[in-house]
Coordinates of all heavy atoms in Angstrom, one line a residue:
S276 N 0.8 -1.2 0.0 CA 0.0 0.0 0.0 C 0.9 1.3 0.0 O 2.0 1.2 0.5 CB -0.9 0.0 1.2 OG -1.9 -1.0 1.1
H277 N 0.3 2.3 -0.6 CA 0.9 3.6 -0.6 C 2.3 3.7 -1.3 O 3.2 4.2 -0.7 CB 1.0 4.2 0.8 CG -0.4 4.4 1.4 ND1 -0.9 3.4 2.2 CD2 -1.3 5.4 1.3 CE1 -2.1 3.8 2.6 NE2 -2.4 5.0 2.1
N278 N 2.4 3.1 -2.5 CA 3.7 3.1 -3.2 C 3.5 3.9 -4.5 O 2.4 4.0 -5.0 CB 4.1 1.7 -3.6 CG 4.4 0.8 -2.4 OD1 5.4 1.1 -1.7 ND2 3.5 -0.1 -2.1
I279 N 4.6 4.4 -5.0 CA 4.6 5.0 -6.3 C 5.6 4.2 -7.1 O 6.8 4.0 -6.8 CB 5.1 6.5 -6.3 CG1 4.1 7.3 -5.5 CG2 5.3 7.0 -7.7 CD1 4.6 8.8 -5.2
V280 N 5.1 3.6 -8.2 CA 5.9 2.8 -9.1 C 5.9 3.4 -10.5 O 4.9 3.7 -11.1 CB 5.3 1.3 -9.2 CG1 6.2 0.5 -10.1 CG2 5.2 0.7 -7.9
S281 N 7.1 3.8 -11.0 CA 7.2 4.5 -12.2 C 8.4 4.1 -13.0 O 9.4 3.7 -12.4 CB 7.3 6.0 -11.9 OG 7.4 6.8 -13.1
E282 N 8.3 4.3 -14.3 CA 9.4 4.0 -15.2 C 10.0 2.6 -15.1 O 11.2 2.4 -15.0 CB 10.5 5.0 -15.0 CG 10.1 6.5 -15.0 CD 9.5 6.9 -16.3 OE1 9.8 6.4 -17.4 OE2 8.6 7.8 -16.3
V283 N 9.1 1.6 -15.2 CA 9.5 0.2 -15.2 C 9.2 -0.4 -16.5 O 8.1 -0.1 -17.1 CB 8.9 -0.6 -14.0 CG1 9.5 -0.1 -12.7 CG2 7.4 -0.5 -14.0
P284 N 10.0 -1.3 -17.1 CA 9.8 -1.8 -18.4 C 8.7 -2.9 -18.5 O 8.1 -3.2 -19.5 CB 11.1 -2.4 -18.8 CG 11.8 -2.8 -17.5 CD 11.3 -1.7 -16.5
Y285 N 8.3 -3.5 -17.4 CA 7.3 -4.5 -17.3 C 6.2 -4.1 -16.3 O 6.0 -3.0 -16.1 CB 8.0 -5.9 -17.1 CG 7.1 -7.1 -17.2 CD1 6.4 -7.3 -18.4 CD2 6.9 -8.0 -16.2 CE1 5.5 -8.4 -18.6 CE2 6.1 -9.1 -16.4 CZ 5.4 -9.2 -17.5 OH 4.5 -10.3 -17.7
T286 N 5.6 -5.1 -15.7 CA 4.5 -4.9 -14.8 C 4.9 -4.0 -13.6 O 6.0 -4.1 -13.0 CB 4.1 -6.3 -14.2 OG1 3.5 -7.0 -15.3 CG2 3.1 -6.2 -13.1
G287 N 4.0 -3.1 -13.2 CA 4.3 -2.2 -12.1 C 4.3 -3.0 -10.7 O 5.2 -2.9 -10.0
I288 N 3.2 -3.7 -10.4 CA 3.1 -4.5 -9.2 C 2.6 -5.9 -9.6 O 1.7 -6.1 -10.3 CB 2.0 -3.9 -8.3 CG1 2.5 -2.5 -7.8 CG2 1.8 -4.8 -7.1 CD1 1.4 -1.7 -7.0
S289 N 3.3 -6.9 -9.1 CA 3.0 -8.3 -9.4 C 2.9 -9.1 -8.1 O 3.7 -8.9 -7.2 CB 4.2 -8.8 -10.3 OG 3.9 -10.2 -10.6
V290 N 1.9 -9.9 -8.1 CA 1.7 -10.7 -6.9 C 1.2 -12.1 -7.3 O 0.4 -12.2 -8.2 CB 0.8 -10.1 -5.9 CG1 -0.6 -9.9 -6.4 CG2 0.7 -10.8 -4.5
G291 N 1.7 -13.1 -6.6 CA 1.2 -14.5 -6.9 C 2.0 -15.2 -7.9 O 2.8 -14.7 -8.7
W292 N 1.8 -16.5 -7.9 CA 2.4 -17.4 -8.9 C 1.7 -18.7 -8.8 O 1.5 -19.2 -7.7 CB 3.9 -17.6 -8.7 CG 4.5 -18.4 -9.8 CD1 4.9 -19.7 -9.8 CD2 4.8 -17.9 -11.1 NE1 5.4 -20.1 -11.0 CE2 5.3 -19.0 -11.9 CE3 4.6 -16.7 -11.8 CZ2 5.6 -18.9 -13.2 CZ3 5.0 -16.7 -13.1 CH2 5.5 -17.8 -13.8
G293 N 1.3 -19.3 -9.8 CA 0.8 -20.6 -9.7 C -0.2 -21.0 -10.8 O -1.2 -20.4 -11.1
W294 N 0.2 -22.1 -11.4 CA -0.7 -22.9 -12.3 C -0.7 -24.3 -11.7 O -1.0 -25.2 -12.4 CB -0.2 -22.9 -13.7 CG -0.2 -21.5 -14.3 CD1 -1.3 -20.8 -14.6 CD2 0.9 -20.8 -14.7 NE1 -0.9 -19.6 -15.2 CE2 0.5 -19.6 -15.2 CE3 2.3 -21.0 -14.7 CZ2 1.3 -18.6 -15.7 CZ3 3.2 -20.0 -15.1 CH2 2.7 -18.8 -15.7
T295 N -0.3 -24.4 -10.4 CA -0.1 -25.7 -9.8 C -1.5 -26.4 -9.5 O -2.4 -25.7 -9.0 CB 0.6 -25.6 -8.5 OG1 1.8 -24.9 -8.8 CG2 1.0 -26.9 -7.9
S296 N -1.6 -27.6 -9.8 CA -2.8 -28.4 -9.4 C -2.3 -29.8 -9.0 O -1.7 -30.5 -9.7 CB -3.7 -28.5 -10.7 OG -4.8 -29.3 -10.3
H297 N -2.6 -30.1 -7.7 CA -2.2 -31.4 -7.2 C -3.1 -31.7 -6.0 O -3.6 -30.8 -5.3 CB -0.8 -31.5 -6.9 CG -0.3 -30.4 -6.0 ND1 -0.4 -30.5 -4.6 CD2 0.3 -29.3 -6.2 CE1 0.2 -29.4 -4.0 NE2 0.6 -28.6 -5.0
P298 N -3.4 -33.0 -5.7 CA -4.3 -33.3 -4.6 C -3.8 -33.1 -3.2 O -4.5 -33.1 -2.3 CB -4.6 -34.8 -4.9 CG -3.4 -35.3 -5.6 CD -2.9 -34.1 -6.5
H299 N -2.5 -33.0 -3.0 CA -1.9 -33.0 -1.7 C -1.4 -31.6 -1.4 O -0.3 -31.4 -0.8 CB -0.8 -34.0 -1.5 CG -1.3 -35.4 -1.8 ND1 -2.2 -36.0 -0.9 CD2 -1.0 -36.2 -2.8 CE1 -2.5 -37.2 -1.4 NE2 -1.7 -37.4 -2.5
C300 N -2.2 -30.6 -1.7 CA -1.8 -29.2 -1.5 C -1.7 -28.9 0.0 O -2.6 -29.2 0.7 CB -2.8 -28.3 -2.2 SG -2.4 -26.6 -2.0
T301 N -0.6 -28.2 0.4 CA -0.5 -27.8 1.8 C -0.7 -26.3 2.0 O -0.5 -25.8 3.0 CB 0.9 -28.2 2.4 OG1 1.9 -27.6 1.6 CG2 1.0 -29.7 2.3
T302 N -1.0 -25.6 0.9 CA -1.2 -24.2 1.0 C -2.7 -23.9 0.8 O -3.5 -24.8 1.0 CB -0.5 -23.4 -0.2 OG1 -0.9 -23.9 -1.4 CG2 1.0 -23.7 0.0
V303 N -3.1 -22.7 0.5 CA -4.5 -22.3 0.4 C -5.2 -23.0 -0.7 O -4.7 -23.1 -1.8 CB -4.6 -20.8 0.2 CG1 -6.0 -20.4 0.1 CG2 -3.9 -20.0 1.3
K304 N -6.3 -23.7 -0.4 CA -7.1 -24.3 -1.5 C -8.3 -23.5 -1.9 O -8.9 -22.9 -1.1 CB -7.6 -25.7 -1.0 CG -6.5 -26.8 -0.9 CD -7.2 -28.1 -0.6 CE -6.1 -29.2 -0.6 NZ -6.7 -30.5 -0.4
N305 N -8.6 -23.6 -3.1 CA -9.8 -22.9 -3.7 C -10.7 -24.0 -4.1 O -10.5 -24.7 -5.1 CB -9.4 -22.0 -4.9 CG -10.6 -21.2 -5.4 OD1 -11.7 -21.6 -5.2 ND2 -10.3 -20.1 -6.0
E306 N -11.8 -24.2 -3.3 CA -12.7 -25.3 -3.6 C -13.4 -25.2 -5.0 O -13.8 -26.1 -5.6 CB -13.8 -25.3 -2.5 CG -13.2 -25.7 -1.1 CD -12.4 -27.0 -1.2 OE1 -12.9 -28.0 -1.8 OE2 -11.4 -27.1 -0.5
Q307 N -13.5 -23.9 -5.5 CA -14.2 -23.7 -6.8 C -13.4 -24.5 -7.9 O -13.9 -25.0 -8.8 CB -14.2 -22.2 -7.1 CG -14.8 -22.0 -8.5 CD -14.8 -20.5 -8.8 OE1 -14.5 -19.6 -8.0 NE2 -15.1 -20.1 -10.0
F308 N -12.0 -24.5 -7.8 CA -11.2 -25.1 -8.8 C -10.7 -26.4 -8.3 O -9.8 -27.0 -8.9 CB -10.0 -24.2 -9.1 CG -10.5 -22.9 -9.7 CD1 -10.4 -21.7 -8.9 CD2 -11.0 -22.8 -10.9 CE1 -10.8 -20.5 -9.4 CE2 -11.5 -21.6 -11.4 CZ -11.4 -20.4 -10.7
K309 N -11.2 -26.9 -7.2 CA -10.7 -28.2 -6.6 C -9.2 -28.2 -6.4 O -8.6 -27.3 -6.8 CB -11.2 -29.4 -7.5 CG -12.7 -29.4 -7.7 CD -13.4 -29.6 -6.4 CE -14.9 -29.6 -6.6 NZ -15.6 -29.4 -5.4
H310 N -8.5 -28.9 -6.0 CA -7.1 -29.1 -5.7 C -6.1 -28.0 -6.3 O -5.0 -28.3 -6.3 CB -6.7 -30.5 -6.1 CG -7.6 -31.5 -5.6 ND1 -7.7 -31.8 -4.2 CD2 -8.4 -32.4 -6.2 CE1 -8.6 -32.7 -4.1 NE2 -9.0 -33.1 -5.2
T311 N -6.6 -26.9 -6.7 CA -5.7 -25.9 -7.2 C -5.2 -25.1 -6.0 O -5.9 -24.7 -5.2 CB -6.4 -24.9 -8.2 OG1 -6.8 -25.7 -9.3 CG2 -5.4 -23.9 -8.7
C312 N -3.9 -24.9 -6.0 CA -3.2 -24.3 -4.8 C -2.6 -23.0 -5.2 O -2.3 -22.7 -6.3 CB -2.1 -25.2 -4.3 SG -2.6 -26.8 -3.9
S313 N -2.4 -22.2 -4.2 CA -1.7 -20.9 -4.3 C -1.1 -20.5 -3.0 O -1.8 -20.7 -2.0 CB -2.6 -19.8 -4.8 OG -1.9 -18.6 -4.9
Q314 N 0.1 -20.1 -3.0 CA 0.7 -19.6 -1.8 C 0.3 -18.1 -1.6 O 0.7 -17.5 -0.7 CB 2.2 -19.8 -1.7 CG 2.5 -21.3 -1.6 CD 3.9 -21.6 -1.4 OE1 4.6 -20.7 -0.8 NE2 4.4 -22.7 -1.8
A315 N -0.3 -17.5 -2.6 CA -0.7 -16.1 -2.6 C -2.1 -16.0 -2.0 O -3.0 -16.6 -2.5 CB -0.7 -15.5 -4.0
G316 N -2.3 -15.2 -1.0 CA -3.6 -15.0 -0.4 C -3.5 -14.0 0.7 O -2.4 -13.7 1.2
H317 N -4.6 -13.4 1.0 CA -4.7 -12.4 2.1 C -3.8 -11.2 1.8 O -3.2 -10.6 2.7 CB -4.3 -13.0 3.4 CG -5.2 -14.1 3.8 ND1 -6.4 -13.9 4.4 CD2 -5.1 -15.5 3.7 CE1 -7.0 -15.1 4.6 NE2 -6.2 -16.0 4.2
N318 N -3.7 -10.8 0.5 CA -2.9 -9.7 0.1 C -3.8 -8.5 -0.1 O -4.9 -8.6 -0.5 CB -2.2 -10.0 -1.2 CG -1.1 -11.0 -1.1 OD1 -0.2 -10.9 -0.3 ND2 -1.3 -12.1 -1.8
S319 N -3.2 -7.3 0.2 CA -3.9 -6.0 -0.1 C -3.1 -5.2 -0.9 O -1.9 -4.8 -0.6 CB -4.2 -5.3 1.3 OG -4.8 -4.1 1.0
I320 N -3.6 -4.8 -2.1 CA -2.9 -3.9 -3.0 C -3.8 -2.7 -3.1 O -4.8 -2.7 -3.8 CB -2.7 -4.6 -4.4 CG1 -1.9 -5.9 -4.2 CG2 -2.0 -3.6 -5.3 CD1 -1.7 -6.7 -5.5
S321 N -3.4 -1.6 -2.4 CA -4.3 -0.5 -2.4 C -3.5 0.8 -2.3 O -2.4 0.9 -1.8 CB -5.3 -0.6 -1.2 OG -4.5 -0.6 0.0
R322 N -4.2 1.9 -2.8 CA -3.7 3.2 -2.7 C -2.2 3.4 -3.3 O -1.4 4.0 -2.7 CB -3.8 3.8 -1.3 CG -5.2 3.7 -0.8 CD -5.4 4.4 0.5 NE -6.8 4.2 1.0 CZ -7.9 4.8 0.5 NH1 -7.8 5.6 -0.5 NH2 -9.1 4.5 1.0
N323 N -2.0 2.7 -4.4 CA -0.7 2.8 -5.1 C -0.9 3.7 -6.4 O -2.0 3.7 -6.9 CB -0.2 1.4 -5.5 CG 0.0 0.6 -4.3 OD1 0.9 0.8 -3.5 ND2 -0.9 -0.4 -4.1
V324 N 0.2 4.2 -6.8 CA 0.2 4.9 -8.1 C 1.2 4.2 -9.0 O 2.4 4.0 -8.6 CB 0.7 6.4 -8.0 CG1 0.8 7.0 -9.3 CG2 -0.3 7.2 -7.1
V325 N 0.7 3.7 -10.1 CA 1.6 3.0 -11.1 C 1.5 3.8 -12.4 O 0.5 4.0 -13.0 CB 1.1 1.5 -11.4 CG1 2.0 0.9 -12.4 CG2 1.1 0.7 -10.1
M326 N 2.7 4.3 -12.9 CA 2.7 5.1 -14.1 C 3.9 4.7 -14.9 O 5.0 4.4 -14.4 CB 2.6 6.6 -13.8 CG 3.7 7.1 -12.9 SD 3.3 8.8 -12.4 CE 4.4 8.9 -11.0
N327 N 3.8 4.8 -16.2 CA 4.9 4.6 -17.1 C 5.4 3.2 -17.0 O 6.7 3.0 -16.9 CB 6.0 5.6 -17.0 CG 5.4 7.0 -17.3 OD1 4.6 7.2 -18.2 ND2 5.8 8.0 -16.4
A328 N 4.6 2.2 -16.9 CA 5.0 0.8 -16.9 C 4.6 0.2 -18.2 O 3.8 0.7 -18.9 CB 4.3 0.0 -15.7
M329 N 5.1 -1.0 -18.5 CA 4.8 -1.7 -19.7 C 5.0 -0.9 -21.0 O 4.3 -0.9 -22.0 CB 3.3 -2.1 -19.7 CG 3.0 -3.2 -18.7 SD 3.9 -4.7 -18.9 CE 3.4 -5.2 -20.5
N330 N 6.1 -0.1 -21.0 CA 6.3 0.8 -22.2 C 7.5 0.4 -23.0 O 8.0 1.2 -23.7 CB 6.4 2.2 -21.7 CG 5.2 2.7 -21.1 OD1 4.1 2.4 -21.6 ND2 5.2 3.6 -20.1
N331 N 8.0 -0.8 -22.8 CA 9.2 -1.2 -23.6 C 8.9 -1.7 -25.0 O 9.8 -1.9 -25.8 CB 10.0 -2.2 -22.8 CG 9.4 -3.6 -22.7 OD1 8.3 -3.8 -23.3 ND2 10.0 -4.5 -22.0
G332 N 7.7 -1.9 -25.3 CA 7.3 -2.3 -26.7 C 7.6 -3.8 -27.0 O 7.5 -4.2 -28.1
E333 N 8.1 -4.6 -26.0 CA 8.5 -5.9 -26.3 C 7.5 -7.0 -25.6 O 7.4 -8.1 -26.1 CB 9.9 -6.2 -25.8 CG 10.9 -5.4 -26.6 CD 12.3 -5.6 -26.0 OE1 12.6 -6.6 -25.3 OE2 13.2 -4.7 -26.3
M334 N 6.9 -6.6 -24.5 CA 6.1 -7.6 -23.8 C 4.7 -7.0 -23.6 O 4.5 -5.8 -23.3 CB 6.7 -7.9 -22.5 CG 8.1 -8.5 -22.6 SD 8.9 -8.7 -21.0 CE 8.3 -10.2 -20.5
A335 N 3.7 -7.8 -23.8 CA 2.3 -7.3 -23.7 C 1.5 -8.1 -22.8 O 0.3 -8.0 -22.7 CB 1.6 -7.3 -25.1
D336 N 2.1 -9.0 -22.0 CA 1.3 -9.9 -21.1 C 1.3 -9.4 -19.7 O 0.9 -10.1 -18.8 CB 1.8 -11.3 -21.2 CG 3.2 -11.5 -20.6 OD1 3.9 -10.5 -20.5 OD2 3.5 -12.6 -20.2
G337 N 1.7 -8.2 -19.4 CA 1.8 -7.6 -18.1 C 0.7 -6.6 -17.9 O -0.2 -6.5 -18.7
A338 N 0.8 -5.8 -16.8 CA -0.2 -4.8 -16.6 C 0.3 -3.9 -15.5 O 1.4 -4.1 -14.9 CB -1.5 -5.5 -16.1
G339 N -0.5 -2.8 -15.2 CA -0.1 -2.0 -14.1 C 0.0 -2.8 -12.8 O 0.9 -2.7 -12.0
I340 N -1.1 -3.6 -12.6 CA -1.1 -4.6 -11.5 C -1.4 -6.0 -12.1 O -2.4 -6.1 -12.8 CB -2.2 -4.2 -10.5 CG1 -1.9 -2.8 -9.9 CG2 -2.3 -5.3 -9.4 CD1 -3.0 -2.3 -8.9
Y341 N -0.5 -6.9 -11.8 CA -0.6 -8.2 -12.4 C -0.7 -9.3 -11.3 O 0.2 -9.3 -10.5 CB 0.6 -8.5 -13.3 CG 0.6 -9.7 -14.1 CD1 0.1 -9.7 -15.4 CD2 1.0 -11.0 -13.6 CE1 0.1 -10.9 -16.2 CE2 1.0 -12.1 -14.3 CZ 0.5 -12.1 -15.6 OH 0.5 -13.2 -16.4
T342 N -1.7 -10.1 -11.4 CA -1.8 -11.2 -10.4 C -1.8 -12.5 -11.2 O -2.2 -12.6 -12.4 CB -3.2 -11.2 -9.6 OG1 -4.3 -11.3 -10.5 CG2 -3.3 -9.9 -8.9
N343 N -1.2 -13.5 -10.6 CA -1.1 -14.8 -11.2 C -1.6 -15.9 -10.2 O -1.1 -16.0 -9.1 CB 0.3 -15.1 -11.7 CG 0.4 -16.3 -12.5 OD1 -0.3 -17.3 -12.3 ND2 1.3 -16.3 -13.5
G344 N -2.5 -16.7 -10.6 CA -3.0 -17.8 -9.7 C -4.1 -17.2 -8.8 O -4.4 -16.1 -8.8
P345 N -4.8 -18.1 -8.1 CA -5.8 -17.7 -7.2 C -5.3 -16.8 -6.1 O -4.2 -16.9 -5.6 CB -6.2 -19.1 -6.5 CG -5.8 -20.1 -7.4 CD -4.5 -19.6 -8.1
Q346 N -6.1 -15.8 -5.8 CA -5.7 -14.7 -4.8 C -6.8 -14.7 -3.7 O -7.4 -13.7 -3.5 CB -5.6 -13.4 -5.5 CG -4.7 -13.3 -6.7 CD -3.2 -13.4 -6.2 OE1 -2.8 -12.8 -5.2 NE2 -2.5 -14.2 -6.9
L347 N -6.9 -15.8 -3.0 CA -8.0 -16.0 -2.0 C -7.9 -14.9 -0.9 O -6.8 -14.6 -0.4 CB -7.9 -17.3 -1.4 CG -8.1 -18.5 -2.4 CD1 -8.0 -19.8 -1.6 CD2 -9.5 -18.4 -3.0
H348 N -9.0 -14.3 -0.7 CA -9.1 -13.3 0.4 C -8.2 -12.1 0.2 O -7.7 -11.5 1.1 CB -8.8 -13.9 1.8 CG -9.6 -15.2 2.0 ND1 -11.0 -15.1 2.2 CD2 -9.2 -16.5 2.1 CE1 -11.4 -16.4 2.4 NE2 -10.4 -17.2 2.3
S349 N -7.8 -11.8 -1.1 CA -7.0 -10.6 -1.4 C -7.9 -9.5 -1.9 O -9.0 -9.8 -2.4 CB -6.0 -11.0 -2.5 OG -5.1 -11.9 -2.0
H350 N -7.4 -8.3 -1.8 CA -8.2 -7.1 -2.2 C -7.3 -6.2 -3.0 O -6.2 -5.9 -2.6 CB -8.7 -6.4 -1.0 CG -9.6 -7.2 -0.1 ND1 -10.9 -7.5 -0.4 CD2 -9.3 -7.9 1.0 CE1 -11.4 -8.3 0.5 NE2 -10.4 -8.6 1.4
I351 N -7.8 -5.7 -4.2 CA -7.2 -4.7 -5.0 C -8.1 -3.5 -5.1 O -9.2 -3.7 -5.6 CB -6.8 -5.3 -6.4 CG1 -5.9 -6.5 -6.3 CG2 -6.2 -4.2 -7.2 CD1 -5.6 -7.2 -7.6
S352 N -7.7 -2.4 -4.6 CA -8.7 -1.2 -4.6 C -7.9 0.1 -4.5 O -6.8 0.2 -4.0 CB -9.7 -1.3 -3.4 OG -9.0 -1.2 -2.2
H353 N -8.6 1.1 -5.0 CA -8.1 2.5 -4.9 C -6.7 2.7 -5.4 O -5.9 3.4 -4.7 CB -8.2 3.0 -3.4 CG -9.6 3.0 -2.9 ND1 -10.1 1.9 -2.1 CD2 -10.6 3.8 -3.1 CE1 -11.3 2.1 -1.8 NE2 -11.7 3.3 -2.4
N354 N -6.4 2.1 -6.5 CA -5.1 2.3 -7.2 C -5.2 3.2 -8.4 O -6.3 3.2 -9.0 CB -4.5 1.0 -7.6 CG -4.2 0.1 -6.4 OD1 -3.3 0.3 -5.7 ND2 -5.1 -0.9 -6.2
C355 N -4.2 4.0 -8.7 CA -4.2 4.8 -9.9 C -3.2 4.3 -10.9 O -2.0 4.1 -10.5 CB -3.9 6.2 -9.5 SG -3.8 7.4 -10.9
I356 N -3.6 3.9 -12.1 CA -2.7 3.3 -13.1 C -2.8 4.2 -14.3 O -3.9 4.4 -14.9 CB -3.1 1.9 -13.4 CG1 -3.1 1.0 -12.2 CG2 -2.3 1.3 -14.5 CD1 -3.7 -0.4 -12.3
S357 N -1.7 4.7 -14.8 CA -1.7 5.6 -15.9 C -0.5 5.5 -16.8 O 0.6 5.1 -16.4 CB -1.8 7.1 -15.5 OG -0.7 7.5 -14.8
N358 N -0.7 5.8 -18.1 CA 0.4 5.8 -19.1 C 1.1 4.5 -19.2 O 2.4 4.4 -19.2 CB 1.3 6.9 -18.8 CG 2.1 7.2 -20.1 OD1 1.7 7.0 -21.2 ND2 3.3 7.7 -19.9
C359 N 0.4 3.4 -19.2 CA 1.0 2.0 -19.4 C 0.5 1.5 -20.7 O -0.6 1.1 -20.8 CB 0.6 1.1 -18.2 SG 1.0 1.7 -16.6
T360 N 1.3 1.6 -21.7 CA 0.8 1.5 -23.1 C 0.7 0.1 -23.7 O -0.2 -0.2 -24.4 CB 1.6 2.4 -24.1 OG1 3.0 2.0 -24.0 CG2 1.5 3.8 -23.7
D361 N 1.7 -0.8 -23.4 CA 1.7 -2.1 -24.0 C 1.1 -3.2 -23.1 O 1.7 -4.1 -22.7 CB 3.2 -2.5 -24.2 CG 3.8 -1.6 -25.2 OD1 3.1 -1.0 -26.0 OD2 5.1 -1.5 -25.2
M362 N -0.2 -3.0 -22.8 CA -0.9 -4.0 -22.0 C -2.4 -4.1 -22.5 O -2.9 -3.3 -23.1 CB -0.9 -3.6 -20.5 CG -1.6 -2.3 -20.2 SD -1.4 -1.9 -18.5 CE -2.3 -0.4 -18.5
T363 N -3.0 -5.3 -22.1 CA -4.4 -5.5 -22.6 C -5.4 -4.9 -21.6 O -6.4 -4.5 -22.0 CB -4.7 -7.0 -22.7 OG1 -4.3 -7.6 -21.4 CG2 -3.8 -7.6 -23.8
S364 N -5.0 -4.7 -20.3 CA -5.9 -4.1 -19.4 C -5.0 -3.6 -18.2 O -3.9 -4.1 -18.0 CB -7.0 -5.0 -18.9 OG -6.4 -6.0 -18.1
P365 N -5.5 -2.6 -17.4 CA -4.7 -2.1 -16.3 C -4.5 -3.1 -15.2 O -3.4 -3.1 -14.6 CB -5.6 -0.9 -15.7 CG -6.5 -0.6 -16.8 CD -6.8 -1.9 -17.6
I366 N -5.4 -4.0 -15.0 CA -5.3 -5.1 -14.0 C -5.5 -6.4 -14.7 O -6.5 -6.6 -15.3 CB -6.2 -4.9 -12.8 CG1 -6.1 -3.6 -12.1 CG2 -6.1 -6.1 -11.8 CD1 -7.1 -3.3 -11.0
E367 N -4.5 -7.3 -14.6 CA -4.5 -8.5 -15.4 C -4.4 -9.7 -14.4 O -3.6 -9.7 -13.5 CB -3.3 -8.5 -16.3 CG -3.2 -9.7 -17.2 CD -4.1 -9.6 -18.4 OE1 -4.5 -8.6 -18.9 OE2 -4.4 -10.7 -18.9
N368 N -5.1 -10.8 -14.7 CA -5.0 -12.0 -14.0 C -5.0 -13.1 -15.0 O -5.8 -13.2 -15.9 CB -6.0 -12.2 -12.9 CG -5.9 -13.5 -12.1 OD1 -4.9 -14.2 -12.3 ND2 -6.7 -13.7 -11.2

């Protein structure tokens, strides 16, 4: 919370990782997707300013705020994202 991220060639804020699926998960489980696990959860991304990210012209799969995998009990709110040109949307998952 309360960060200014500027002039970065790729994603401004990134949280999470996971395409993992296995029956013996010891991390947070998402019952909707059955055995899909993520160690990312209970995160708050709020009141940040992200500007001039994703402007290198080479990568288009990032965003001002990029999440990957289930983000159980996480919240993204009250962020300002501007001038990030090479992305499909300001917040990507």
Side-chain angles (χ1 to χ4, degrees):
S276 293
H277 298 94
N278 296 290
I279 297 174
V280 179
S281 180
E282 307 300 331
V283 293
Y285 189 55
T286 292
I288 297 172
S289 180
V290 63
W292 185 255
W294 297 293
T295 306
S296 179
H297 54 85
H299 302 294
C300 180
T301 59
T302 61
V303 179
K304 284 188 180 182
N305 184 337
E306 294 304 319
Q307 177 183 354
F308 299 108
K309 303 297 180 199
H310 310 296
T311 299
C312 306
S313 175
Q314 294 189 27
H317 301 277
N318 293 301
S319 176
I320 302 171
S321 64
R322 303 190 186 283
N323 298 290
V324 175
V325 178
M326 56 190 163
N327 301 319
M329 293 299 302
N330 294 325
N331 69 2
E333 296 178 20
M334 303 172 84
D336 68 335
I340 298 173
Y341 186 94
T342 63
N343 189 326
Q346 303 292 319
L347 298 178
H348 309 291
S349 293
H350 303 279
I351 300 173
S352 65
H353 300 98
N354 296 285
C355 179
I356 301 170
S357 67
N358 199 29
C359 303
T360 58
D361 296 335
M362 61 183 182
T363 55
S364 68
I366 300 175
E367 182 83 23
N368 184 359

